[in-house]
Structure formats: C-alpha cells, structure tokens
Amino acid sequence: MTNVSCRNVSKKYGRKEALHSVDLTLPENGIAGIIGPNGSGKSTFLKLISGLIRPDSGTVKINGTETGRKSGSEAAYLSEEDSLYDFMTVGKTIAFSAGVYPGFDRELAHTLVEEMKLNEKDKVKHLSRGNKARLKLAVTMARKTPVLCLDEPLSGMDPLVREDILRLIVTHLDVEHQLCLITSHEVKELEPFLDHVLIMHDGQVVVDRNVEELKETERKSLIEMLREVTG
Amino acid sequence: MWMTLWKKEWQESLPRFGIVIGVLLLMYAGILTAAFNGSALALLLGFFAVGLHLVLLLLLWALSFHGEWRSRTQWTWLNIPAPGWQLVTAKLAAGFSQYVISIALLTAVGFLSMRIFASGMGAQFRESVDVMQNVLTGFFPLMLLALTYAAVFLGLGLVFIILMARSVKKIGWVIGLGSALLFSYVYSMFNQSSLYETLFHHGVLFDAEQTLQNVTNGSMNLQMEVEQGANIYAGQLAVEMLLAAGIIALLSWMVDRFVQPS
C-alpha cells in the first residue's frame, strides 16, 4: 500500500499561482483520474508528486518521505512530451531503463513491447507518435514503482493508440499495490477505468471522491460534474 | 548505474564528436601537408587546433547538458533516481574521454609534423629546428596541463551557467555568468598572491628552468629567465583538482536541489 499526502501545497510560476494550498491524502492504490480545464494545475500536481518540481510551501510525501529529485524509485513520471532518447533503439531503451531504474521489470518491458508489435531494432526517432507513446508507457509500467504519474498519456493520440494505452494500464497495473495517477482531457474515455477522481480548478482540488460513490450519490457522469464545478 | 549513464552519454555524443574529429582531421591533413612543404602555415594551423581544444570541453559539455532540454528528455533524465553526482559526472566523463582521445590525436599529429618539418629543413636551420623540437618536447607536460586546466575550468563554468539558468527562471543565466566571472576574478587574485605561493607551491613536479637547460644544453647557449609560475607543483595540482571536485559537487547539488525540468 502506498501513502501519498500533500499538506498545504502551493506552487507559483512567476506571479501565476499554479497550485493553492492543496491538502489531501491520495487513495492507496488503483487508478485515479486528475481532470480539469487547461491551466487548472493538473500537470503541476503530478510533477510535485514525482519530485520533479518543489513546492513553494507545504510538503508532498510518499510513504512518509518528502518527495524530491531522487523520488524516481517511488514515483515514475511519464511526460506528455516525447521524452525518449531518439538515438536509442526500442531494445536499447529497455536496456537503458533496466540499468538506471532499480526494480525495473525487463521481462515485462519486452512482453509489452512485443504485445504492441514494436520492433526492438527500430530506432526511437523512426517510430510514429503513437508508437513512441506506447513505448514510453511500456517503460513506465515496467518500472514497477508504487506510484505512476501519467501526464496526458492520451493527448493527441488516435483512438487505436488511446485504446492500447488504457488496455495496457488496466492489464498490467498491480491494482493491489500501485497507485496510477492519470491526467487527461479524454474524460469520457477514461471514466470507466477510474477508481477515484480529483477535479482541479484554478489550482485547487475541488472534488476528491471515489468514482462509484460519486456516481451513486450525484447520479451524474464525470463530464457533467466537471462542467458543474468548473462552471 | 553510473556505467549505464556514461554509456548513454557516450553514445549520444558520438555523432557530434565525430563531426569535431572530422573537422580536426581535415585540419591535421592541412598541417601535415604544410609541414611537408616546409610552410609556416603548419604552425598557424597548429595554433588553431590547440585553440580549438581550449573550447572543446566547453562545447561537448554544454551540448550534453543543454541537449537534455533541447530534446525534451529532461523529464526522463531528472526522473532517474540516481544521485546528482552520478548524472553530472557521467556527462562530464563522457566529454572528457572524448577530449583525451582528441588530445592524443593532436599530440601525435603535432610531433609527426614537427619531424616532417625538421627533415625538410636545410643544414643551416637544422640545429635551431632541433632545439625548437626539444623545447616543445620538454615543455609538453606543462603545455598539456595548462591547456587541460583552462579547458576544464571553462567547461565547468559554462555548465554552471547552464544549470543556473535552469534553476532560476529568466535571470538565472545572468546570475550564473556574474558569479562565474566574479569567482574567476577573486580566485585569480588569490592564485597570484604570496599566500597561495606559500600554501601550495610545494613539491616540484615540473621544473621549467631545469627543463629548459636540459633541452638546450650542448646545442645552443640559450639562457632564458623562466618565471616561477611556469613550474608545476604537487600542492598546486592537488588544490586545483580539489577546486574542480568542489565545482562538480556544487553542480551535483544544484541538479538535486534546484534544477527545474520546465
């Protein structure tokens, strides 16, 4: 089980406040969707949890340890951008990841790559955008960290890739031990897979609920909830 | 983990190192041809090649660090759970190994062209060319060390500025440049002080005056005043290496504590 807690976390970029006094404890496992309009603070929230940026005030802790630059063994961050090394092949990307991420499941990475019909000899720079997204996710999943921070993994992908990505997460996430945080604008597509949802607006978490509970009590879809709270 | 990082840095930088070596090889071909024809152009090209090595590390290191942001791989690089010193030294070591290869090539070409140049000279110049050759051979350790010293500290200075620019938005590079210049000025003052001399000028590793006398003895009655500063001392070498280690520790700390991916 994983304990991720944020205590009065605020973050500014220049004068713009990206997060304002966020105070919450995330669910211990499962898939949690972080949704909200552009600029609501979703990406900033993920980057803070994975320790890539530091809060201006407050603390973010994973299992009692404050997050920081070396939190990569606790929280794997998947960027929206093409963050793979272009000069490597698919196979070399797996070998490199196995060399730098403790606990990396090399076998799982090879299986995932094979499942997605990627050729290990192909250079990353020659892969299509969709295949780069598939490879990025395969490597992130194989890191087997307690927390996965997936920043817009579906953004700009065609429906086939989106389906592949969601299937990969659902099939290979260890739901008993891992917490997967996903930011996305594809709320409808994501909704059936979510255990938990955070709705963000103007740098604050305005909804933090279990999806089943939310549906039972509010009798609304997530997209309707999102419209209502972000008005 | 460090070896995986070093291997990645080496492979990533190989194409640009290939370009550098390609340019240098063309220059070396020019040097050897000029030396064969007894042209002084060989000397000019030689100086240019040495000058290029002064900024080679700076170029290789800057491209390596800045490259993570340019290719948007900083998200991957900074999410690697290795301590900052491993991320930083893997990059520095890859660049430095390429510098060593390039210096070895430069040295080989330098000595070869000198030999070609000397063999093409008439008897009346042979003696002075031989002395010149001996002086260059004798002073090679001093020149190599001075060149490497300047290249390393220029490179570390630029890496510091790059990391500062990634730590403090907008004005980071100005703060980095300002502090690098200020530190160089203050340190050069200290370097020339009598305190520095008292503290670190111990254990002569290279005696410039002695070397000059050794290499000119018997051939010409050449007497030169060699400044004390041209000697290499063990104490001086140790403190400069400690300084480089201190700067690397600072860069590693910056990566762990202040560098931002976006």
Side-chain angles (χ1 to χ4, degrees), chain A residues 11 47 50 52-54 69-70 72-73 75-77 79 81-85 87-88 96 99-102 143, chain B residues 1 4 8 11-12 68 71-73 75-84 87 255-261:
Chain A
K11 178 73 186 173
K47 286 168 195 166
S50 50
L52 283 165
I53 56 173
R54 281 160 288 276
R69 220 275 306 145
K70 287 174 270 182
S73 49
Y77 178 79
S79 167
E81 297 186 68
D82 282 344
S83 53
L84 294 167
Y85 289 103
F87 69 95
M88 291 181 185
F96 171 71
V100 295
Y101 301 125
R143 284 173 64 177
Chain B
M1 193 183 287
T4 310
K8 171 245 162 194
Q11 286 169 348
E12 193 175 27
E68 295 288 354
S71 57
R72 290 169 293 173
T73 49
W75 304 106
T76 303
W77 188 60
L78 290 170
N79 198 224
I80 294 171
L87 298 182
V255 165
D256 279 343
R257 300 288 306 165
F258 302 106
V259 169
Q260 308 265 347

Side-chain angles (χ1 to χ4, degrees), chain B residues 136-147:
Chain B
L136 285 176
T137 310
F139 278 80
F140 175 72
L142 182 69
M143 290 189 290
L144 179 67
L145 208 67
L147 179 65

